Amino acid sequence: MRIGASLFLIAIGAILKFAVTTHVDGVDLQVVGVILMIVGIVGLLFDLVLWGTRRRTVVTREPGVTYVSQPGDPIERY
C-alpha cells in the first residue's frame, strides 16, 4: 500500500467516524470508519518502514568507466 492510499483510507475513515450521522441497518458506520483509519495507519507505517530500510545505489559515470557503489560496499569498476 502506498502513502497516498493510506492517507485516503485514513481520510475516509475519519469522515465516516466523525462526520456521517446517517444510520444504516446492520452496519455501524462509525466502526467501519475506525477500521479504515486503523488499516490506513498500519499501511502508512509499513510503507514508511519499507522506504526507510531500502538500500540506495549510487552510479557515477565517467568517460569509459562506470562506478557502482552501495553503502558499505567497495567501489567496483565495470
Side-chain angles (χ1 to χ4, degrees), residues 50-70:
L50 281 182
W51 276 99
T53 59
R54 192 169 289 177
R55 292 180 58 131
R56 291 181 168 76
T57 301
V58 177
V59 177
T60 305
R61 293 192 174 136
E62 296 176 6
V65 180
T66 300
Y67 299 100
V68 178
S69 64
Q70 295 178 346

Side-chain angles (χ1 to χ4, degrees), residues 1 6 9-10 36-47:
M1 185 180 308
S6 297
L9 287 177
I10 293 170
L36 287 176
M37 285 192 291
I38 291 171
V39 169
I41 291 169
V42 169
L44 182 64
L45 292 175
F46 184 70
D47 193 44

